[in-house]
Amino acid sequence: MRKAAKTFFVSFIPKYIGNKTVIRVYHMLTWIKVPRSVRERNYRHNLENLRKSKKAVWKDAGVCIENQKQWKDIWFGAGRHHDMMYSGCEIIAAFNAAKTMQGAGSPEDMAGLIRYFEAKGAALWGTFGTSPLAVAEYFKRCGFEVLLSYGDRRTMEAIERDSFVMIATVYNDKCDITKQIHTVCITRKNGYVLHNAYVRDRNGDYTASPSYETLENAIAHISNEETKLICLLGIYRSNPCTQSAFRK
């Protein structure tokens, strides 16, 4: 009986609370702001540490960030776990999406992006990551067209048909909320590829996922559990004059 009660409790939100409601509540947590002094402290710390890094992502326009689990030394927010390893997946997904579309991405860009979302998207001081609505609004402010789907067929089909860069937020396990939520960038080129989905190559290094034939199949492989989509953001380049997605 106790096991059945626990199973019901941990699966209640994924199974019975609508995706739109979950995202709206998620966004309400951004009302609790990261103090400006903390944002500036984090920015200075991150800029110094990112500049020391020799990551290929700063040098190669075609390389995305794949290794969030190795980003503990980069700070985000003011919560109990104020680092990118624990709660930076939405920011990494946004960085990867912007880099894919515009071929840029520097230590300065990443440090600035973290500071931006600390001010305009961090959920509960960043403890719960970044609101997907804040990520959508960010790209709109940068001049991109976006379409946000909560999983209905019409919008999902439109994104799959028209978008080459997407950001997906999922339950890692549709039966257990304690397995948490993860957000990744998905790119489409001869199939759908996940970025920062904790895939490792034969040497044990983090890498992009294999290419999946369909978007549905790609989303199903974001975690090793029974993944369930919460929302999918399709990002479109609206015109050649769209400003850089790395806002200064």
Side-chain angles (χ1 to χ4, degrees), residues 26-43:
Y26 202 157
H27 194 67
M28 288 172 62
L29 296 176
T30 68
W31 298 351
I32 305 172
K33 300 295 185 183
V34 177
R36 183 172 182 176
S37 60
V38 174
R39 301 197 306 262
E40 295 305 318
R41 179 202 67 189
N42 289 353
Y43 177 78

Side-chain angles (χ1 to χ4, degrees), residues 137-156:
E137 181 61 27
Y138 172 78
F139 282 100
K140 285 172 64 177
R141 289 187 177 190
C142 292
F144 292 88
E145 294 180 1
V146 301
L147 177 60
L148 185 62
S149 173
Y150 296 100
D152 63 281
R153 178 176 295 182
R154 181 185 63 83
T155 53
M156 289 292 290

Side-chain angles (χ1 to χ4, degrees), residues 76-103:
F76 168 57
R80 178 184 174 188
H81 304 282
H82 64 286
D83 59 69
M84 289 285 287
M85 183 187 77
Y86 184 83
S87 56
C89 59
E90 290 85 13
I91 297 176
I92 288 175
F95 181 92
N96 286 341
K99 192 171 191 292
T100 298
M101 290 184 293
Q102 297 186 319

Side-chain angles (χ1 to χ4, degrees), residues 3 23 32 50 65 76 91 98 136 186 226:
K3 183 177 180 181
I23 293 301
I32 305 172
L50 290 168
I65 296 171
F76 168 57
I91 297 176
I186 304 175
E226 294 185 76

